[in-house]
Amino acid sequence: MDGLRRMSARPIGDHALLSDCRSAALVTSDGSVDWLCVPRFDSPAIFARLLDEDAGHWSIRPVTGPVDISRRYVEDTLVLETLFRTTGGTAVLRDALALGRHERGHALGTASPGMLLRQITCTEGRVDIEISYAPRPEFGLVHPLLSPVPGGLAAYGGAHVLLLSSPVDLRVNGSTAHGRIPLTAGHHLGFALHVGTAWEKESAAWRTGRIRRRMSDTVEGWRSWSKLHRGYVGPWQDEVSHSGRVLRALTFAPTGAIVAAATTSLPEKTGGRRNWDYRYTWVRDASFTIQALATAACEKEKNRFFGFLTRAAATQLDRGADLQIMYGIGGERDLSERPLPHLAGWRNSSPVRIGNDAWRQRQLDVYGELLDAAAQTLPPDEPLDPATRTFLLQAAETAAQRWTQPDQGIWEGRGPSRHFLHSKLMCWVALDRAISMAPALQADERLPHWQHERDQIRQAIEQRGWNPHLGAFTQAFDTDDLDPSALMLPIVGFLPPHDPRIQSTVLAIATQLTDHNGLVRRYLTDELQEEEGTFLLCTFWLAQALALTGHTTRARHAFQTALAHANDLGLLAEETDSTTAEALGNFPQAFSHIGLINAARAIRNAERQDIHT
């Protein structure tokens, strides 16, 4: 244990995402798997060097150090290729989390075998390859027993037995194995890490050809899915398609849940305390996610995601409780948080946490996001099944009853409850969408009450949320603080984009909450009294709101500013450091890719309207 607590300092944006639509791995640019959680996104990590140098990794790289590195995803896939150019030759490393053998199209991830595939091929000259394999289950707590078996190594210790298929003999030193081998042009090696409770059912001696076939199946699986999801045509078409793949990669195929990010405890400020576990599903993200999935032609994914939310939350409102703001990817409700003090954290950002106590918070905005998602997903005039109808009725009634109460707000502050404007706005959305869905909800008798409460919310927002001295709608009632969540006012249809108050609010946020790099902050300080990085989602929101309000040139500029902070593989973090421009927060962030898709659609639609007016 004393060997732990050596911080990881590698830039967050240096990592690539691998996914089998059940779990995720992150790979560095020089060929090290520094994060792997299996068999689920929220499982304990087998490799966690992302959070502590001694918490596990698996690297394959040239011995002498590459002269030059470049990488890409194989076209229309999330299969990673890293090109190493050394003074003696060139090698290509291909990495993937394996999909099932016959998975195609919408079935992606339904039969994933829980297997990490790695192939290294020398394409020119000679390259000496070094392999370092250091599994550390349970976030580095377990140093397993490595035992040679025919064709590889077995690792015993922790909840799962790990089987590494290796075509070369690796030297075992404690819980780490090493190997070196020269490769010449045309030669290749294939490795596979199998995860399971009974590895004996598998053969360790996988031949390279079998691994190559598995890799080919995975490429074809992703390409088949991508071919079915080309619905968006317009500016940034490739980026929208790629973001759709990222959202699919963050989807837990057995349930349809989408995790907010693949990681835990990557900080919102280097060395700070805002280090949360994002490997869960937020109701807050629902309506934005549904819009993005529809734009990216992910209709089945959209329906499955909404179905997951209604199943996970079923019966929660029966006893008068608040709707939970987040759920585990299997529908779990108790997500209790605990620290992992044996981990140093990324750049000494501690504590490292698993679980997320935000699940206990009251956030009244969730009713609006849920009902807005329902209005976008369900047929407007067809009767609903009794369980869904009852649940949505309860959500609308709860919004009508509780909108006057304070809560923690969209940003999940851990200070006192307040009357956040965004929370009131989304309660207005809940009732507005419920009114539009009244035939399907069979709720005509509730219309007068819902309409009355909707009008009361409007009046409260316009009287107490508008600050004439700032010329903007504010973060909370009767305050002077700006908040980019006010950009939702035109986006959800509360006020028309040409309303002078909306125009003024959008421009105030663009000037007062935007840093010198052109990126938008959520706030300047919060109850922790820590500054944080700029928030990429909020910058995409600004681009979307600028497009809606007729400022299409500025919208394009804001969009490009946010997009410029994607890494070399087009992956977006949660935030960006205002000083260094480095990625911050959990990675990759679904919300950022959702914001990209929705902003691209808004700009496209605004520019088309400009052409026809």
Side-chain angles (χ1 to χ4, degrees):
M1 294 296 296
D2 293 339
L4 293 181
R5 296 192 60 82
R6 290 200 301 137
M7 74 169 188
S8 171
R10 184 177 291 272
I12 292 169
D14 186 64
H15 296 87
L17 171 70
L18 307 179
S19 171
D20 59 3
C21 302
R22 288 173 178 259
S23 56
L26 295 184
V27 186
T28 65
S29 61
D30 60 350
S32 181
V33 180
D34 281 2
W35 184 255
L36 175 64
C37 295
V38 286
R40 296 178 15 154
F41 292 106
D42 56 354
S43 297
I46 291 171
F47 305 125
R49 185 154 69 173
L50 181 70
L51 298 174
D52 191 297
E53 281 292 328
D54 295 315
H57 69 277
W58 179 17
S59 65
I60 300 176
R61 64 185 66 167
V63 172
T64 56
V67 175
D68 182 58
I69 300 175
S70 60
R71 59 183 177 170
R72 68 181 185 101
Y73 284 121
V74 177
E75 186 177 3
D76 291 338
T77 78
L78 286 183
V79 174
L80 178 68
E81 282 191 347
T82 304
L83 177 65
F84 300 107
R85 293 187 179 91
T86 73
T87 55
T90 302
V92 176
L93 176 64
R94 180 175 278 200
D95 292 320
L97 278 169
L99 298 174
R101 288 176 181 153
H102 304 294
E103 290 182 350
R104 296 292 184 268
H106 299 300
L108 206 65
T110 55
S112 300
M115 185 185 306
L116 176 58
L117 305 174
R118 313 198 74 185
Q119 290 178 278
I120 183 84
T121 302
C122 181
T123 58
E124 182 182 357
R126 170 176 164 159
V127 181
D128 292 342
I129 299 299
E130 180 180 52
I131 301 155
S132 176
Y133 173 64
R136 299 290 185 266
E138 297 186 37
F139 297 100
L141 279 175
V142 177
H143 286 225
L145 171 66
L146 297 185
S147 177
V149 294
L153 291 173
Y156 300 95
H160 301 287
V161 176
L162 309 178
L163 180 65
L164 176 66
S165 297
S166 172
V168 299
D169 292 331
L170 300 176
R171 302 183 308 278
V172 175
N173 181 12
S175 296
T176 302
H178 296 277
R180 288 191 177 188
I181 187 168
L183 285 183
T184 55
H187 291 154
H188 48 262
L189 302 173
F191 302 83
L193 178 61
H194 315 243
V195 181
T197 55
W199 68 264
E200 293 88 351
K201 296 180 181 179
E202 294 278 0
S203 169
W206 269 36
R207 296 185 182 277
T208 299
R210 190 176 178 188
I211 293 171
R212 188 187 303 116
R213 287 192 296 275
R214 274 287 197 183
M215 186 74 78
S216 178
D217 288 339
T218 301
V219 169
E220 289 308 309
W222 277 111
R223 283 180 170 167
S224 173
W225 185 89
S226 297
K227 185 177 180 180
L228 292 173
H229 298 82
R230 301 189 191 278
Y232 175 80
V233 177
W236 304 290
Q237 189 167 311
D238 290 343
E239 288 81 0
V240 168
S241 294
H242 180 57
S243 290
R245 271 190 297 279
V246 172
L247 293 183
R248 179 66 201 199
L250 296 175
T251 298
F252 185 57
T255 64
I258 300 176
V259 295
T263 59
T264 180
S265 298
L266 294 180
E268 298 169 13
K269 174 183 171 61
T270 302
R273 294 169 287 168
R274 284 200 203 87
N275 315 317
W276 316 119
D277 194 342
Y278 273 21
R279 299 172 299 156
Y280 307 112
T281 294
W282 270 254
V283 179
R284 172 202 63 195
D285 303 354
S287 61
F288 309 120
T289 303
I290 294 294
Q291 292 167 16
L293 291 173
T295 300
C298 301
E299 287 296 321
K300 288 187 180 292
E301 288 80 2
K302 181 183 80 170
N303 293 333
R304 291 205 72 217
F305 177 63
F306 180 75
F308 164 78
L309 291 177
T310 57
R311 290 191 305 274
T315 75
Q316 194 153 41
L317 298 176
D318 291 349
R319 300 180 304 279
D322 285 320
L323 181 65
Q324 198 160 308
I325 72 164
M326 59 192 292
Y327 298 93
I329 57 177
E332 299 85 358
R333 295 183 182 179
D334 186 344
L335 308 177
S336 295
E337 185 178 295
R338 66 183 178 94
L340 299 180
H342 66 281
L343 297 178
W346 182 82
R347 295 188 183 173
N348 282 334
S349 302
S350 62
V352 171
R353 297 178 173 96
I354 56 173
N356 195 316
D357 276 345
W359 74 275
R360 306 176 191 272
Q361 288 188 353
R362 161 176 280 189
Q363 291 181 31
L364 298 175
D365 61 300
V366 294
Y367 303 104
E369 278 106 13
L370 179 69
L371 280 155
D372 191 41
Q376 296 178 63
T377 305
L378 302 174
D381 299 319
E382 296 180 14
L384 303 175
D385 67 84
T388 300
R389 173 180 172 271
T390 298
F391 176 60
L392 295 178
L393 282 171
Q394 289 173 331
E397 286 297 314
T398 305
Q401 293 167 7
R402 299 182 186 172
W403 72 266
T404 59
Q405 301 171 10
D407 72 342
Q408 301 306 121
I410 184 175
W411 306 130
E412 296 171 3
R414 299 202 173 187
S417 298
R418 300 171 65 192
H419 290 282
F420 288 100
L421 181 143
H422 179 265
S423 299
K424 313 301 184 187
L425 171 65
M426 296 313 292
C427 285
W428 179 92
V429 170
L431 296 173
D432 184 73
R433 303 320 189 247
I435 290 166
S436 71
M437 295 176 64
L441 294 172
Q442 301 174 39
D444 290 345
E445 76 284 356
R446 302 303 300 157
L447 285 177
H449 174 61
W450 290 348
Q451 289 166 343
H452 173 76
E453 292 302 316
R454 183 182 63 174
D455 292 343
Q456 291 296 303
I457 299 173
R458 174 179 291 279
Q459 183 178 351
I461 289 175
E462 292 187 343
Q463 290 181 354
R464 300 183 60 190
W466 170 254
N467 186 318
H469 302 292
L470 288 179
F473 286 97
T474 55
Q475 180 183 73
F477 282 180
D478 308 317
T479 67
D480 297 326
D481 299 320
L482 289 173
D483 191 303
S485 63
L487 295 169
M488 288 298 106
L489 288 160
I491 290 173
V492 301
F494 180 83
L495 285 172
H498 56 74
D499 186 291
R501 293 167 295 177
I502 293 297
Q503 294 275 339
S504 178
T505 298
V506 171
L507 295 181
I509 291 170
T511 55
Q512 297 181 47
L513 282 184
T514 302
D515 75 350
H516 63 280
N517 295 315
L519 299 172
V520 178
R521 296 183 182 276
R522 289 189 292 179
Y523 34 67
L524 298 180
T525 58
D526 72 351
E527 71 279 354
L528 294 180
Q529 297 301 303
E530 287 184 358
E531 290 190 4
E532 65 165 4
T534 48
F535 211 73
L536 290 176
L537 170 68
C538 295
T539 309
F540 284 120
W541 277 356
L542 177 61
Q544 187 174 358
L546 286 167
L548 289 172
T549 53
H551 303 282
T552 53
T553 300
R554 293 188 66 172
R556 270 190 167 267
H557 178 73
F559 186 100
Q560 288 291 166
T561 298
L563 183 60
H565 288 82
N567 74 356
D568 57 315
L569 295 168
L571 299 175
L572 293 163
E574 182 180 25
E575 302 188 20
T576 298
D577 187 292
S578 290
T579 302
T580 66
E582 275 196 301
L584 290 173
N586 285 302
F587 183 83
Q589 179 80 196
F591 228 172
S592 298
H593 287 276
I594 288 165
L596 181 155
I597 293 171
N598 292 336
R601 183 194 65 245
I603 294 170
R604 178 198 66 181
N605 293 347
E607 290 179 339
R608 287 179 177 177
Q609 185 175 359
D610 289 344
I611 292 172
H612 293 97
T613 56

